[in-house]
Amino acid sequence: MQVLVSGEAMLGIALVELGLVIIPGPNMIYLVSRSVAQGRRAGLVSLAGVGVGFLVYLLAASAGLATLFALVPEIYLTLKLAGAAYLLWLAWNAFRPGGSSVFATQELEPDRPRKLFGMGLLTCLLNPKIAILYISLLPQFLDPSRGHLGTQSLILGLVQLAVGVAVNAIFVITAGSVAVFLARRPTWMRIHRYLTGTALAAFAVRLATDRAKPLATH
């Protein structure tokens, strides 16, 4: 009996997700800022919302979302450019005079668990990195000769979800300690801010100029 998804494909999507999740983006910024301001519990509740957002994209991809974008490339192009613009805006917030690191201590109003969950979900759904991962990158690990592509997409998406949630959980748990460390070292805080802005800007440019097209999964 042939295995639907090879170990190489699962390792490949895991490494792709690891590379994406460690690049500062909307999910990390929201989770870390909320964890620093309101504590680990708030960060973990927010992370639960992010996890559900991953699941929504996973189910949509398995149902053929990539096929829709392959058939109507204008929608895909609009999503890609809007995502790039959003990442550039985040980069500007990091670079601009008076900008702050994502780990900077902030005075935020405490949110109730329902709002924390909802904002985590919304942040994930509007995250262009996640959209592009499911629409453009994940289908490249599918192998038509191994069987149903939708099921393959589901399995690989679960691998991505596990890696994404696990790494983000590490950010949430360590956010407070990192914030204290950087708060005592303004130069390190400034360096982190510039590195974050550079990473966001670089990903935005790559996203806007990438000529890869979504691949149909059905």
Side-chain angles (χ1 to χ4, degrees), residues 47-120:
L47 177 57
V50 170
V52 172
F54 284 146
L55 187 59
V56 170
Y57 268 116
L58 169 56
L59 295 177
S62 299
L65 181 64
T67 302
L68 170 63
F69 287 120
L71 295 174
V72 190
E74 293 80 9
I75 300 178
Y76 176 67
L77 179 61
T78 300
L79 172 67
K80 189 168 68 167
L81 294 179
Y86 179 48
L87 291 175
L88 284 175
W89 179 76
L90 291 175
W92 164 245
N93 282 336
F95 281 127
R96 67 180 174 82
S100 61
S101 166
V102 63
F103 286 99
T105 302
Q106 304 178 51
E107 293 295 332
L108 299 177
E109 289 292 328
D111 285 336
R112 295 180 179 276
R114 180 179 297 180
K115 184 174 182 180
L116 292 170
F117 180 90
M119 286 301 297

Side-chain angles (χ1 to χ4, degrees), residues 141-162:
F141 292 93
L142 303 180
D143 184 353
S145 67
R146 287 181 173 270
H148 192 266
L149 295 180
T151 304
Q152 290 186 48
S153 180
L154 181 63
I155 295 171
L156 290 174
L158 289 173
V159 173
Q160 174 274 326
L161 191 155

Side-chain angles (χ1 to χ4, degrees), residues 164-179:
V165 170
V167 176
N168 276 308
I170 294 174
F171 290 142
V172 167
I173 293 170
T174 61
S177 300
V178 175

